[in-house]
Amino acid sequence: MRTVTVVGASLAGLYAARALRSQGFEGRLVIVGDEHHRPYDRPPLSKDFLKGETGQDHLALADAEEIAELDAEWVLGTRATGLADEGRSVLLAGGRSLDTDGAVIATGATPRRLPGPELSGVHTLRTLDDAQALRADLAGGPVRVVVIGGGFIGAEVASSCAALGHDVTIVEAAPLPLLPQLGEEMAEICATLHGDHGVTLATGTGVATLRGGPAGRVTGVELADGRLLPADTVVVGIGVRPNTDWLADSGLALADGVVTDAGCVTALPHVVAVGDVARVDGSRTEHWTSATEQAAVAAHNLLAGATLKAHRPVPYFWSDQYGVRIQFAGRRLPTDTVRILEGSPDDRTFLAAYERAGRTTAVLALNRPRPFMKQRRELMRATQPVAS
C-alpha cells in the first residue's frame, strides 16, 4: 500500500493518520478536509471558546512539530464528492481526483436543521466557524436565547449562555433532557442543573416554526403547543446526520452511516470508516472517545488488508454543564435499577450505578471523576473476552 487517503480532517481523521504512521505506514499520506482549518478540538466550542475564555490558538489538536512529523499532504478547504473505482479514487470538488490504495472515511456528521426560511440569528454549532458566528452574535450584551434541543450540545450552549448573563430557555421534545441516555430518575436529577442556574426548561413539546421580523432576523420560536417564546438568538441542537451523501454512488453500504464490521472495515477491505460517520458493527456513536479508539483499530486492519482487530468498547461520554462534569459509561436498559454509591444528588455531586440481576451495567457521576474512572475500568475489565 503506497498511498492512503484520509477523507476528513477532524478528530477521527487526525487520529487515523497518527495511527497509520505509528503502525509503520511510510508511504504517501493525504488528508482531505472541507474546512480550511487544521484539526481542532470541538468540545470547547460550546464551552470555554463560546464564553471567550479560550482562543482559536488553544484548540489545535496537533502542533507544528507533529504536523511536520506526520509528513502528510493536506488538502484543506476542499470537499470530497465521491469515491470511485471501488475505492481506489477519491473525487474532489472542482473535478480533481486522487488515486489511492487505501481510504479512511472520517467525514463526520452535519447538524440537522429546522425546515423553514433562513433567518439571521439562528445558529447550529458544529464547526469553529459556527462557534465564531454564535460568539459574535452574543457579544452585544444580554439577549434572549432559545436553545432547541436539550442534548449535550444544547445543554452546554445553554450553560455557557447563562454564564454570559443571557436569558436562556431550552426547548426539549422529550419529557426530560437526556432521558434516553440516563433514564428517568437520573435525567430528572441532571435536569435540575438548568433550574439551579436560572435556565427555563420547556419540555414535552416541539417547535412549530420560527418567527422572523421584517429585517429577516429571528424574533421568536412558536412551539407545537401554541406558546410563543421571544428570541433574539436561536441555537438549534436537534442532533446530526452522518456525512454520507458524497458516497451515494460508491457501492458502500450506507444506513445511518457507513456500514462496517467490528473492525471498522467496509465491504471493501482497503476502505475503512471511523468517527461520527461510521456505523461500526451495527452502532454509530457520536462521542470523542469512540472516534479516537476506532482510529487505531481501523488503521491496523487497513494495513493488514483484513479484519484482525475489533472495536468493542464500553460506551463512554462526558458533558460539562454549569461547572458540573457529567460522566457516563456502560450499557443500560430501561429496566435497570439505579443505586447511589457515594455522594448526594441534592449536592449535585454523586456516583451512581445501574444494576441488572446483581451486576453493574453502567455508571454515572456528577463531579466525581476519580471514583467514576475506577468504576469505568472495572466495567471495561468485566467486558473483556477471557483468553483461552
Side-chain angles (χ1 to χ4, degrees), residues 57 66 115 203 224 239 281 291 310 336 343 355 373:
D57 54 337
E66 184 184 3
T203 60
D281 199 25
D336 292 352
E355 297 174 335
M373 294 309 293

Side-chain angles (χ1 to χ4, degrees), residues 188-268:
E188 189 168 352
I189 292 170
C190 290
T192 61
L193 293 173
H194 299 296
D196 289 348
H197 294 83
V199 172
T200 301
L201 270 178
T203 60
T205 185
V207 173
T209 189
L210 300 181
R211 296 279 188 89
R217 184 175 179 88
V218 69
T219 59
V221 178
E222 184 179 334
L223 303 184
D225 62 12
R227 283 181 289 172
L228 179 63
L229 304 178
D232 304 300
T233 298
V234 171
V235 182
V236 180
I238 55 175
V240 298
R241 60 177 184 84
N243 284 325
T244 58
D245 291 351
W246 69 284
L247 295 167
D249 299 321
S250 67
L252 296 178
L254 306 176
D256 185 38
V258 178
V259 176
T260 79
D261 63 13
C264 304
V265 180
T266 71
L268 300 173

Side-chain angles (χ1 to χ4, degrees), residues 138-336:
L138 297 171
V143 296
R144 298 166 298 183
V145 180
V146 175
V147 178
I148 302 172
F152 300 113
I153 292 296
E156 290 173 358
V157 168
S159 169
S160 297
C161 289
L164 291 169
H166 301 295
D167 181 329
V168 184
T169 299
I170 297 175
V171 178
E172 170 56 51
L176 288 166
L178 304 181
L179 185 60
Q181 294 87 353
L182 305 182
E184 183 176 358
E185 184 178 352
M186 293 295 104
E188 189 168 352
I189 292 170
C190 290
T192 61
L193 293 173
H194 299 296
D196 289 348
H197 294 83
V199 172
T200 301
L201 270 178
T203 60
T205 185
V207 173
T209 189
L210 300 181
R211 296 279 188 89
R217 184 175 179 88
V218 69
T219 59
V221 178
E222 184 179 334
L223 303 184
D225 62 12
R227 283 181 289 172
L228 179 63
L229 304 178
D232 304 300
T233 298
V234 171
V235 182
V236 180
I238 55 175
V240 298
R241 60 177 184 84
N243 284 325
T244 58
D245 291 351
W246 69 284
L247 295 167
D249 299 321
S250 67
L252 296 178
L254 306 176
D256 185 38
V258 178
V259 176
T260 79
D261 63 13
C264 304
V265 180
T266 71
L268 300 173
H270 54 278
V271 178
V272 298
V274 293
D276 290 359
V277 75
R279 188 170 184 83
V280 179
D281 199 25
S283 177
R284 192 172 65 83
T285 309
E286 301 165 7
H287 295 299
W288 199 96
T289 307
S290 297
T292 59
E293 291 176 347
Q294 289 169 1
V297 172
H300 182 91
N301 294 332
L302 178 63
L303 295 177
T307 301
L308 302 182
K309 289 188 175 182
H311 180 251
R312 293 190 175 94
V314 173
Y316 166 62
F317 63 78
W318 79 91
S319 179
D320 295 314
Q321 305 171 22
Y322 309 104
V324 174
R325 169 150 288 196
I326 301 172
Q327 294 171 286
F328 179 92
R331 294 181 174 88
R332 60 165 288 274
L333 292 178
T335 53
D336 292 352

Side-chain angles (χ1 to χ4, degrees), residues 34 107-113 124 126 239-244 276:
D34 59 357
T107 44
T110 299
R112 297 185 184 277
R113 300 178 184 273
T124 57
R126 177 75 180 181
V240 298
R241 60 177 184 84
N243 284 325
T244 58
D276 290 359

